[in-house]
């Protein structure tokens, strides 16, 4: 690891030229950019108009594609972080959107939206009859609303049908409804209703097939046909699986959305399961446009087929409103991301492209071993499981199941697997096939976490402090010289250890935890994630602050948040070729624009109208002058720090007009050594070194 605080005088004088700062993104290139994935989101509905496709999603608003689903762009409007459950294209060219707050309509292809008179109603389905009347229903209500003026005004039909899943109209007067209470029918435009298929199970969807008959699918995969305008229903077949959507294609084939897509070419008598959509989970919507078939999934975005559904490929590039709970490095440049509650995705090109591997549920921990095996733990306090994948995350086996919580699984450099089960430490030496308990000092030990350095030392955080083992868990020693309340948040590639403590300081150990030095006074917020690159630059995610970077072993930290748009961050990871990725809550993954080791990310360009000059004389004894220039009036601070990050003196703190300034600093009360002076002006921060020689 490089050390710019070396005692070598040549290194010291050279390092004076290097400065750390954060620049305003309006003047310099942003540090971060948003990646186009992972595309893990619920897709509720599709519409096609002119040359674009529009989808409605869960908690992500709408995305539009102008290249037949190759890429998607998020529409930034009032729905940006809300759910859009249903979409409909009207004869006048307007688009209707059903949300949790009623109906909205757009006359500019979805860019802006106007609220209709129907509010406070979650619209889960929209349909249009031959006369242009619009019908809407909700799975959470027991009513249907109708509009005869393209959605401006609405009338309640008082249908008293609970849990409406789908509405289908035929001609002008006939309406058929799929609901949690079976199938209902009205032949007088909704004035009266008849339950024509009793509620022995929920009916999830309806459609009209090519010969004019009605078709329906139940929650349990039972397929029904009515050949008499919805009066009577015949049970034709079952797919022995839960089903959510039914779709009739232009050539007369019928498709069912389940865990994958099923197709029937004989009106539902028999079904063929098509390509499994790369473990995409439940298919929520199916649509056809020109030569393309589209499938919208629960938590796995959009898939597309160019051969009538025989084969599918993921088509979710740009759909990136997922929440990332975990990121972990794998082999050969791979980075895995777990989206809540979607599942597992992987990138091999620093986040430029993502592939969905599996829709595994929420996990408590996730780790990749040096031999390529991946482990995950899952479950609550009543049951915990450890899962293993030997094919890079596509398929998983449960290798351990217990009636206790499994809070962590981790792998040492020698492929030994460790797990914390009910706050006890367990180990497997054969890739997770067999497990045995490791006792640190007594049966009463309360294990909180287990981590390793890259030469095999094991560190266990317990209720009474940290224990260390240098022989694969055979013997343990208590780390007695640790600060009170210490929590190790990171171990670097060169085995330096970093921690926080009760006094809010950052601490560093270079001797495997035998001793600790205070290096930085923080604000007391928790460190949520830690990463280090190949040149020894440190990165932390500090709760309430964002991402901080240090190039000097943690003594001085700078914020690097430009381009993040104030998103909530969950985790950081450095790729094999030194890009940094940040997982967010609700906005997918961000990546650094440049490598963390590149000049562009080490020293951003300051505006010409902002300048902090090198102090003169330097070295100095006992006084020196500091000159700076600020571009705009505002709050300005100029402070002096020692090498441990302790504030020594505040030279300026207050409102200042734009202009040139010079301040004298008197160091006669200080000992010889390296000090730092830091200027803050608005969002711009710059730090430089100076040397006091007595």
């Amino acid at each position: 690891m490089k050390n710019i605080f070396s005692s070598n005088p040549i290194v010291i004088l050279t390092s004076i030229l290097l400065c750390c700062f954060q620049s305003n993104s309006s003047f310099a290139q942003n540090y971060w950019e948003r990646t186009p994935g992972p595309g893990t989101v619920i897709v509720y509905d599709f519409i096609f108009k002119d040359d674009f496709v529009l989808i409605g999603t869960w908690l992500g608003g709408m995305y539009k594609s102008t290249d037949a689903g190759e890429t998607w762009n998020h529409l930034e409007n009032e729905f940006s972080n809300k759910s859009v459950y249903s979409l409909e294209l009207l004869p006048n060219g307007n688009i209707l959107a059903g949300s949790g707050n009623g109906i909205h309509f757009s006359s500019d292809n979805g860019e802006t939206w106007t609220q209709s008179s129907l509010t406070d109603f979650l619209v889960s389905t929209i349909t249009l009859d031959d006369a242009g009347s619009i019908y809407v229903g909700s799975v959470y209500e027991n009513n249907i609303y109708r509009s005869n003026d393209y959605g401006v005004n609405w009338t309640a039909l008082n249908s008293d049908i609970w849990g409406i899943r789908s509405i289908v109209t035929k001609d002008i007067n006939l309406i058929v409804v799929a609901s949690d209470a079976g199938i209902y029918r009205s032949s007088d435009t909704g004035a009266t209703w008849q339950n024509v298929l009793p509620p022995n199970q929920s009916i999830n969807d309806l459609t009209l097939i090519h010969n004019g008959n009605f078709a329906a699918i139940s929650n349990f995969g039972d397929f029904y046909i009515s050949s008499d305008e919805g009066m009577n229903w015949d049970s034709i077949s079952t797919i022995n699986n839960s089903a959510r959507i039914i779709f009739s294609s232009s050539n007369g084939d019928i498709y069912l959305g389940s865990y994958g897509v099923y197709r029937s070419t004989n009106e539902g008598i028999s079904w063929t399961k098509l390509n499994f959509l790369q473990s995409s989970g439940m298919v929520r919507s199916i649509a056809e446009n020109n030569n393309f078939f589209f499938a919208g999934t629960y938590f796995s975005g959009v898939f597309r087929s160019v051969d009538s559904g025989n084969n599918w490929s993921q088509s979710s590039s740009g759909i990136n409103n997922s929440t990332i709970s975990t990121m972990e490095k794998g082999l050969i440049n791979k980075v895995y991301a777990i989206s809540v509650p979607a599942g597992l995705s992987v990138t091999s090109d620093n986040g430029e492209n993502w592939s969905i591997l599996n829709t595994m549920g929420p996990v408590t921990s996730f780790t990749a071993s040096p031999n390529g095996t991946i482990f995950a733990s899952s479950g609550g306090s009543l049951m915990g499981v450890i899962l293993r994948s030997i094919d890079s995350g596509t398929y998983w086996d449960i290798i351990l199941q217990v009636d206790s919580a499994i809070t962590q699984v981790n792998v040492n450099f020698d492929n030994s697997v460790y797990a914390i089960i009910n706050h006890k430490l367990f180990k497997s030496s054969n890739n997770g096939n067999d497990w045995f308990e490791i006792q640190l000092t007594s049966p009463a030990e309360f294990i909180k976490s287990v981590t390793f350095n890259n030469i095999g030392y094991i560190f266990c955080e317990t209720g009474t402090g940290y224990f260390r083992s240098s022989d694969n868990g055979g013997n343990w020693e208590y780390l007695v010289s640790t600060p009170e309340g210490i929590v190790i948040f990171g171990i670097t590639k060169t085995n330096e250890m970093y921690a926080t403590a009760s006094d809010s300081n950052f601490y560093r150990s270079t001797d495997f935890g035998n001793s600790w030095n205070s290096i930085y006074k923080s604000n007391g917020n928790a460190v949520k994630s830690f990463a280090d690159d190949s040149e020894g630059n440190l990165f932390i995610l500090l709760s309430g602050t964002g991402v901080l970077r240090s190039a000097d072993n943690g003594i001085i930290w700078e914020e690097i948040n430009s381009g993040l748009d104030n998103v909530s961050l969950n985790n950081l990871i450095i790729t094999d070729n030194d890009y940094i990725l940040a997982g967010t809550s609700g906005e997918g993954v961000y990546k650094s624009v440049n490598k963390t080791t590149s000049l562009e990310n080490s020293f951003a360009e300051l505006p010409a109208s902002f300048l902090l000059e090198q102090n003169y004389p330097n070295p100095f004894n006992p006084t020196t002058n500091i000159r700076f220039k600020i571009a705009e009036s505002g709050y300005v601070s100029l402070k002096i720090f020692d090498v441990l990050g302790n504030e020594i003196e505040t030279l300026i703190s207050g409102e200042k007009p734009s202009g040139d300034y010079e301040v004298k600093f008197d160091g006669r009360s200080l000992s010889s050594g390296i000090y730092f002076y830091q200027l803050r002006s608005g969002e711009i921060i710059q730090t430089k070194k100076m040397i006091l020689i007595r």
Side-chain angles (χ1 to χ4, degrees):
M1 177 181 291
K2 64 181 181 181
N3 183 354
I4 64 174
F5 292 107
S6 168
S7 59
N8 186 319
I10 296 176
V11 175
I12 291 176
L13 292 175
T14 303
S15 66
I16 293 174
L17 300 175
L18 304 181
C19 57
C20 301
F21 57 84
Q22 175 189 11
S23 64
N24 189 309
S25 60
S26 63
F27 297 109
Q29 182 187 44
N30 284 337
Y31 191 93
W32 299 92
E33 62 183 358
R34 198 171 175 188
T35 74
T40 50
V41 69
I42 297 177
V43 177
Y44 284 114
D45 206 359
F46 295 85
I47 63 163
F48 306 93
K49 181 185 177 185
D50 301 329
D51 61 346
F52 70 85
V53 187
L54 191 66
I55 60 173
T57 72
W58 180 60
L59 296 181
M62 290 173 248
Y63 286 83
K64 180 186 288 188
S65 174
T66 57
D67 53 12
E70 287 285 346
T71 58
W72 299 86
N73 294 310
H74 192 228
L75 297 185
E76 302 295 335
N77 49 45
E78 59 266 46
F79 294 115
S80 293
N81 297 307
K82 298 178 182 179
S83 297
V84 176
Y85 301 101
S86 49
L87 294 165
E88 185 68 40
L89 180 62
L90 301 182
N92 64 0
N94 287 350
I95 301 171
L96 288 190
S99 71
N101 189 33
I103 285 286
H104 295 69
F105 56 89
S106 172
S107 59
D108 57 6
N109 296 329
E111 299 297 328
T112 60
W113 295 84
T114 301
Q115 173 80 60
S116 76
S117 60
L118 182 60
T119 61
D120 300 322
F121 184 83
L122 190 153
V123 179
S124 53
T125 182
I126 308 173
T127 195
L128 192 69
D129 72 10
D130 292 343
S133 295
I134 306 165
Y135 295 85
V136 302
S138 174
V139 293
Y140 298 112
E141 303 286 345
N142 63 347
N143 214 339
I144 295 174
Y145 287 85
R146 180 178 61 216
S147 173
N148 296 321
D149 55 8
Y150 289 155
V152 177
N153 297 290
W154 296 87
T155 301
L157 300 186
N158 300 315
S159 59
D160 198 29
I161 305 172
W162 182 258
I164 296 172
R165 302 281 178 174
S166 178
I167 303 172
V168 175
T169 63
K170 187 177 182 182
D171 301 325
I172 295 177
N173 297 319
L174 183 60
I175 309 171
V176 182
V177 174
S179 76
D180 290 344
I183 297 177
Y184 283 76
R185 177 184 186 274
S186 173
S187 58
D188 52 12
T189 324
T192 59
W193 295 89
Q194 179 183 5
N195 185 200
V196 292
L197 186 64
N200 60 321
Q201 56 182 299
S202 174
I203 303 298
N204 278 345
D205 199 25
L206 288 166
T207 193
L208 279 171
I209 60 177
H210 68 99
N211 59 8
N213 290 340
F214 286 91
I217 189 70
S218 79
N219 185 50
F220 298 112
D222 294 322
F223 179 75
Y224 297 88
I225 287 285
S226 173
S227 56
D228 58 359
E229 306 292 278
M231 281 296 298
N232 297 282
W233 294 82
D234 297 317
S235 179
I236 304 298
S237 59
T238 182
I239 63 170
N240 293 317
N241 213 335
S242 179
R244 182 59 189 87
I245 190 76
I246 184 171
F247 175 76
S248 181
S249 70
S250 58
N251 68 355
D253 292 343
I254 304 172
Y255 293 78
L256 295 181
S258 178
Y259 291 100
V261 174
Y262 291 78
R263 180 176 61 202
S264 175
T265 59
N266 54 10
E267 298 186 10
I269 296 173
S270 60
W271 297 90
T272 300
K273 189 175 183 180
L274 306 178
N275 183 290
F276 193 57
L277 302 185
Q278 301 175 13
S279 303
S280 66
M282 177 71 78
V283 174
R284 175 61 179 79
S285 50
I286 301 174
E288 179 187 10
N289 186 53
N290 297 325
N291 296 320
F292 296 100
F293 274 69
F294 293 86
T297 67
Y298 277 107
F299 309 122
S300 296
V302 178
F303 288 79
R304 188 178 64 171
S305 173
V306 297
D307 57 4
S308 300
N310 292 313
N311 297 281
W312 298 83
S313 60
Q314 189 182 359
S315 178
S316 296
S317 179
I319 300 176
N320 52 3
N321 63 299
S322 53
T323 292
I324 309 300
S325 65
T326 303
M327 287 197 297
E328 180 69 30
K329 288 176 63 174
L331 299 179
I332 318 174
N333 297 318
K334 290 182 179 179
V335 173
Y336 297 97
I338 294 183
S339 306
V340 177
L344 180 64
S345 298
V346 66
T347 179
S348 299
D349 55 10
N350 310 304
E352 293 295 333
N353 295 281
W354 294 87
S355 298
I356 296 170
L357 296 174
N358 195 286
T359 55
M360 61 194 303
V363 302
T364 54
S365 66
F366 184 93
T367 187
S369 67
N371 66 13
T373 305
I374 309 174
F375 297 90
S377 61
S378 181
S381 59
L382 298 179
M383 184 190 73
V385 298
I386 294 179
L387 304 104
R388 180 180 63 194
S389 174
I390 59 174
D391 63 354
S392 300
T394 301
Y395 295 100
W396 293 80
D397 296 314
I398 295 177
I399 59 173
L400 182 67
Q401 182 171 325
V402 295
D403 295 330
S404 302
I406 301 178
T407 52
Q408 187 183 4
V409 60
N410 209 345
V411 183
N412 206 347
F413 80 109
D414 64 350
N415 293 305
S416 297
V417 190
Y418 293 79
I420 299 176
I421 303 173
N422 196 26
H423 300 291
K424 305 295 181 183
L425 184 64
F426 287 79
K427 177 182 177 180
S428 173
S429 300
N430 57 3
N431 217 34
N433 293 319
D434 300 292
W435 296 84
F436 60 91
E437 183 178 354
I438 294 179
Q439 188 170 297
L440 274 61
T441 57
S442 72
E445 284 298 345
F446 186 90
I447 310 297
K448 294 182 178 180
S449 67
V450 58
T451 189
F452 320 98
N453 66 14
N454 63 15
I455 60 173
Y457 278 54
I458 309 172
F459 299 89
C460 270
E461 181 188 7
T462 74
T464 57
Y466 275 89
F467 287 81
R468 180 184 64 195
S469 174
S470 59
D471 60 358
N472 297 318
N475 296 281
W476 295 85
E477 56 184 320
Y478 184 66
L479 299 184
V480 296
S481 300
T482 58
E484 182 179 355
I486 192 170
V487 176
I488 298 171
F489 63 74
I491 302 177
T492 69
K493 297 176 179 64
T494 51
N495 295 315
E496 287 91 359
M497 302 169 66
Y498 291 86
T500 57
S502 298
D503 59 6
S504 298
N505 282 352
F506 285 0
Y507 287 84
R508 177 174 181 252
S509 174
T510 59
D511 56 9
F512 311 118
N514 289 321
S515 61
W516 296 84
N517 295 315
S518 176
I519 56 174
Y520 178 75
K521 181 68 174 180
S522 76
N523 58 11
N525 291 350
V527 177
K528 298 174 65 176
S529 188
F530 170 87
D532 65 315
D533 65 20
S534 62
E535 290 188 358
N537 296 305
L538 309 180
F539 300 83
I540 59 173
L541 175 55
L542 195 62
S543 178
T545 302
V547 184
L548 303 179
R549 174 181 59 183
S550 175
D552 54 16
N553 303 323
I555 294 174
I556 295 295
W557 295 85
E558 55 169 331
E559 294 183 18
I560 50 168
N561 294 319
S562 61
L564 286 175
D565 300 326
N566 297 316
V567 296
S568 176
L569 303 179
N570 294 332
N571 33 62
L572 301 174
I573 202 162
I574 300 284
T575 67
D576 286 345
N577 48 5
D578 286 322
Y579 285 86
I580 186 168
L581 304 182
T584 74
S585 293
E587 294 199 13
V589 175
Y590 280 74
K591 67 177 288 287
S592 58
V593 174
N594 301 295
K595 293 184 176 184
T596 60
T597 55
S598 69
L599 184 64
E600 290 84 352
N601 268 352
S602 298
F603 307 102
E605 181 184 358
L606 282 173
S609 54
F610 177 91
L611 178 64
L612 177 63
E613 296 184 5
Q614 189 64 51
N615 64 300
Y616 71 97
N618 188 49
F620 67 96
N621 179 26
T623 63
T624 187
N625 299 296
I626 301 172
R627 290 178 177 176
F628 63 90
K629 178 180 181 179
I630 57 175
E632 298 178 355
S633 300
Y635 175 80
V636 175
S637 71
L638 180 63
K639 297 182 178 183
I640 309 298
F641 298 88
D642 65 15
V643 293
L644 297 180
N646 299 311
E647 183 179 327
I648 300 300
E649 186 175 343
T650 298
L651 302 180
I652 295 177
S653 179
E655 296 291 324
K656 293 290 182 182
S658 60
D660 300 325
Y661 293 86
E662 182 172 333
V663 180
K664 178 176 285 189
F665 171 61
D666 190 335
R668 70 181 68 245
S669 63
L670 303 176
S671 59
S672 296
I674 297 174
Y675 295 87
F676 298 87
Y677 56 102
Q678 184 182 82
L679 177 68
R680 290 175 176 257
S681 175
E683 296 183 3
I684 305 174
I685 304 171
Q686 189 173 4
T687 305
K688 293 199 174 203
K689 298 178 187 178
M690 58 185 178
I691 302 173
L692 172 61
I693 298 178
R694 303 300 298 272

